[in-house]
Amino acid sequence: AELATRHDLIVVADEIYGQLIYPPNEHLSIATLPGMRERTVTLNGFSKSYAMTGWRVGYLAAPRDLVAMLTEPRHTLSINTSTISQHAALAALTGPQEPFEAMFAAYAERRAWLMPALTEAGFTYGHPGGAFYIYTNVSPTGLAAPEFCERLLRETGVMLFPGTMFGDESTDYIRISYLQPLPLIQEAMGRIATFVASNAARAGS
Ligand SMILES: Cc1ncc(COP(=O)(O)O)c(C=O)c1O
């Protein structure tokens, strides 16, 4: 916020994971900081918190003049979000929130299982404060992340994505998402551990 104010910048804050935050972390909207409301475009949507990716509903909050400018190109692109999707989003917001809570509890459980399993397999990683991904360093395997992912897929059937797909210049990281049910994640983790061990054996021989 200080940087943006000093250099008179507009901040685009994608807060789509703002509700998926693991305690004791807390979500902070940058627009709530002093002086930021008038220079922030806050983005959000229903794809993550309500698992409604296919419904294509999102929204933004921004100063009035910016909204006016953003509305024009938006109209040119698709006129409006479908009415059915808007009603579905409204139902998600105003309906019972237990499904969200159950989904978030499942993510927390998978995260808690996966982190020690990765440590045991010899990986280091960033502890996710939110969302449903673990950014994992595969450099100790001696494989660059794109090669790691391709070989893992071909040899074990487990599909993960290298960080390079998300703009990372380093080839050290893969992105593991824990959106699948825990038993599948456990199966995948077993295959990953076997792959890492056989790769080490091959490299050593
Ligand atoms: C940070 C971030 N923003 C936005 C999106 C996509 O949102 P939408 O489905 O609303 O286009 C994703 C999906 O992976 C994401 O990770």
Side-chain angles (χ1 to χ4, degrees), residues 14 16-17 44-48 52-53 56-58 133 175:
D14 179 353
I16 200 148
Y17 295 108
N44 214 320
F46 290 77
S47 294
K48 311 296 174 182
M52 287 174 58
T53 316
R56 312 309 306 139
V57 200
Y133 312 103
R175 192 198 73 168

Side-chain angles (χ1 to χ4, degrees), residues 56-204:
R56 312 309 306 139
V57 200
Y59 53 92
L60 64 81
R64 194 176 290 272
D65 54 339
L66 271 179
V67 171
M69 278 188 263
L70 291 165
T71 304
E72 282 305 314
R74 176 74 185 83
H75 277 171
T76 316
L77 288 172
S78 68
I79 303 194
N80 70 292
T81 300
S82 84
T83 312
I84 293 173
S85 290
Q86 293 188 52
H87 279 289
L90 187 62
L93 268 189
T94 56
Q97 297 301 299
E98 285 83 2
F100 164 76
E101 282 152 24
M103 201 169 66
F104 185 62
Y107 294 156
E109 185 192 15
R110 295 171 198 168
R111 173 184 181 271
W113 185 88
L114 201 44
M115 290 203 300
L118 284 169
T119 304
E120 203 174 307
F123 293 110
T124 56
Y125 48 86
H127 292 206
F132 31 67
Y133 312 103
I134 302 185
Y135 213 51
T136 305
N137 188 337
V138 294
S139 62
T141 64
L143 299 173
E147 191 190 352
F148 179 95
C149 292
E150 184 167 346
R151 282 197 26 205
L152 183 74
L153 178 61
R154 287 187 193 281
E155 294 174 28
T156 73
V158 175
M159 186 165 73
L160 300 171
F161 293 113
T164 47
M165 270 188 65
F166 309 99
D168 194 346
E169 283 175 15
S170 159
T171 54
D172 287 349
Y173 288 88
I174 59 167
R175 192 198 73 168
I176 298 178
S177 103
Y178 44 92
L179 287 168
Q180 295 292 331
L182 191 54
L184 262 186
I185 290 173
Q186 290 169 332
E187 166 70 25
M189 203 51 227
R191 293 190 197 185
I192 293 170
T194 307
F195 171 77
V196 169
S198 72
N199 177 63
R202 260 178 292 184

Side-chain angles (χ1 to χ4, degrees), residues 6-40:
R6 190 166 355 122
H7 296 286
D8 192 22
L9 304 175
I10 291 175
V11 173
V12 178
D14 179 353
E15 302 190 359
I16 200 148
Y17 295 108
Q19 282 174 280
L20 298 169
I21 304 286
Y22 304 101
N25 302 293
E26 285 175 25
H27 179 60
L28 173 74
S29 282
I30 193 167
T32 62
L33 297 177
M36 288 307 291
R37 196 188 158 102
E38 51 272 27
R39 61 170 70 253
T40 304

